[in-house]
Amino acid sequence: MSSITIAPPEHLQLQSPLLCLPSEIKNEIYRYCFQTEESIVDATVGQPRPGNGTPLNLGVSMLQTCRRTYFEADRRPLFSQNRFRFTTIDKARCFFRSLDQCEFYRNSVRDIELDARRIHFDQPEIAKGGNWGKILGSLRPGLKCLRLNFGSWPLIPMFRAALWNLLRNMLVQAEGLERVIVIGASRGRGMVAHAPWSPVHFVGGDDVGSDDLVERMWQVVRGGEDNLTDKVVRWERREGKLHLEVVTKSYLVNQVDCNWTGPCTRKSHTDAWPENGSCTWYGYQNRHSEVTEPTTKGPNPSAAE
């Protein structure tokens, strides 16, 4: 279907109080209109959402008020401020292909979530993570936050070892991120007893091969002058899900949790990790020993000297 061309405005709509405002104020208004706290699921460009789709509290209808608004509103905040979640590889591919002609929109995408719930063992190319990797590779350098959602692992028709390898392979093409999150299912006291990086939370078993998820996550998050201290491993349980992440300290404090004060500690390596917490790379590497965490200058990178 051919795209519809919108002619430039012939009338400046000076009777509109909004359009008479200075550009700086109008851009702030547009920015707030183009932001939603909900995930935008299986986004489409230039096409109406399915009739059964959940309406979003997103003010894109403002673009339909008049041609002047359509042409002057900066759409980049629509892509940079919101989280885009995709339930299939095809829907993710279609969305980003639709942005091929608008590279500055594609490069504005900052936060995406890939949901593995519809992965199937009879899709070998997808199961290897290759197609997901191509999409992630095409989003450099704009992407800041990547979420891999394996919270539906009990319903995914794949062997646990194959699903674990898929998760590991999906991280191969990503790099230079500020934050990477892997979401798993962790309901009940029995699951809390497992370490937050255990494969049990993400594929349902711990006998699935290389236990290197955190190492791979660490590699895709950019490091500063000191790659070992500028990032932390962090986890949070809510609504039966475990969110395991590696995040730069600056992004954590400025974008995620301004009240974060530093990593948690354990009295002994035999103690269970807290339900919610964080640790340094040093703490993770020495999780099976009594090695003492070295003293750091301060947990908050934004704190004054």
Side-chain angles (χ1 to χ4, degrees), residues 118-182:
R118 296 185 182 176
I119 294 293
H120 199 277
F121 69 88
D122 63 358
Q123 300 170 306
E125 178 61 25
I126 294 177
K128 291 178 181 178
N131 285 329
W132 290 115
K134 291 177 182 178
I135 289 178
L136 296 177
S138 70
L139 292 177
R140 303 172 188 163
L143 190 63
K144 301 299 181 185
C145 179
L146 170 64
R147 306 165 195 261
L148 303 179
N149 192 336
F150 279 68
S152 298
W153 62 259
L155 305 177
I156 300 176
M158 287 182 64
F159 292 111
R160 292 175 179 176
L163 190 60
W164 180 247
N165 284 330
L166 168 64
L167 171 55
R168 296 169 65 245
N169 290 335
M170 288 175 72
L171 293 166
V172 171
Q173 296 295 329
E175 64 179 26
L177 302 177
E178 297 281 350
R179 187 186 190 196
V180 60
I181 307 169
V182 179

